[in-house]
DNA sequence: CAGTATCCAAAGGGATACTG
DNA sequence: CAGTATCCCTTTGGATACTG
């Protein structure tokens, strides 16, 4: 445990908080995938999302979308159609998660290579 | 749901898999924090980690470290001291998670600003 | 110091059926 | 179509105590 002054430690603590926030906001099995799909397609209906995010149930999708909406990452729009349809899209702010999933993507791809070659 | 050819869809599916892998590898409440600390300090003992990753219990820390080791992200070294100490450090490969937590960090910080200003 | 062991509560999440 | 409702199992992880 080297060479970190108290000042540097405080900076570190503050960054840890931002990190924790981000992990809580984007955590879980599905949120990143949902955001990525919305980022890719722009606007999607509930059913489209359920098809693209393979394996998610409607119950879970509902809950995830509600949480994302509460955190200002997703906008829900009710369309005046028959039957009623609902559209989801990202907020401006949510596009800043792009770096996150790009980084995850890159890491995931490299990890596969590492595992194939036997680790380390 | 616009304009995505079957070919593009296949690419997308493959990327989804890498994304899923990464989420599983780094998922949960603690792994990113642990990796970030190891990245920052270089080498840490069990107890150091438990202090820096505020709130984690020894049981959970043990399990997280084991998983990280199994996935070639962390190296565990037993030091020939009295009493025995154990050091943890990152593998080369693990340093590629840096982009992930930098992105998370940036997002977390911006998100706080958004929430303060009332959303959107 | 570096963990294990035990107990337990809460959250996550799948399956299925149902509704306006 | 876009969800709710219900059931129930699994995983997560906190608290506490203990060990070589």
């Amino acid at each position: 445990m080297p060479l970190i002054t108290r000042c540097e430690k405080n900076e570190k603590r503050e960054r840890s908080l931002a990190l924790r926030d981000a992990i809580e906001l984007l955590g879980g099995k599905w949120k990143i995938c949902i955001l990525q799909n919305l980022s890719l397609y722009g606007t999607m209906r509930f059913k489209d999302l359920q098809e693209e995010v393979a394996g998610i149930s409607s119950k879970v999708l509902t809950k995830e979308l509600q949480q994302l909406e509460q955190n200002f990452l997703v906008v829900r729009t009710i369309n005046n159609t028959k039957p009623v349809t609902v559209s989801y899209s990202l907020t401006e702010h949510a596009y800043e998660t792009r770096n996150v999933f790009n980084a995850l993507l890159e890491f995931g791809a490299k990890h596969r290579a590492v595992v194939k070659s036997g680790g380390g």
Side-chain angles (χ1 to χ4, degrees), chain A:
Chain A
M1 288 272 283
L3 322 164
I4 289 199
T5 67
R6 191 158 314 166
C7 172
E8 283 165 334
K9 275 211 167 182
N10 285 339
E11 279 177 26
K12 184 183 161 296
R13 293 254 155 75
E14 292 203 7
R15 293 201 298 155
S16 285
L17 291 179
L19 196 58
R20 297 287 190 94
D21 280 5
I23 290 172
E24 213 186 311
L25 247 56
L26 306 178
K29 200 172 166 181
W30 304 111
K31 292 203 184 67
I32 292 277
C33 290
I34 292 170
L35 293 174
Q36 194 211 17
N37 274 283
L38 288 174
S39 164
L40 203 61
Y41 288 104
T43 294
M44 297 175 83
R45 292 189 304 176
F46 189 89
K47 198 202 173 199
D48 298 331
L49 271 168
Q50 202 175 353
E51 279 167 16
E52 290 297 319
V53 182
I56 198 168
S57 71
S58 58
K59 186 186 83 173
V60 174
L61 180 55
T62 300
K63 202 195 58 192
E64 300 286 88
L65 286 170
Q66 284 169 356
Q67 290 172 2
L68 290 170
E69 198 188 355
Q70 279 165 27
N71 291 319
F72 311 115
L73 295 175
V74 157
V75 175
R76 182 176 184 271
T77 309
I78 301 175
N79 305 305
N80 202 357
T81 54
K82 260 188 186 181
V84 165
T85 57
V86 179
S87 300
Y88 294 89
S89 56
L90 299 188
T91 61
E92 269 304 296
H93 174 45
Y95 280 98
E96 286 168 12
T97 60
R98 264 185 164 147
N99 289 335
V100 176
F101 54 71
N102 284 338
L104 282 170
L105 214 56
E106 197 182 344
F107 172 73
K110 286 186 182 170
H111 182 75
R112 298 190 155 201
V114 169
V115 169
K116 272 189 188 170
S117 75

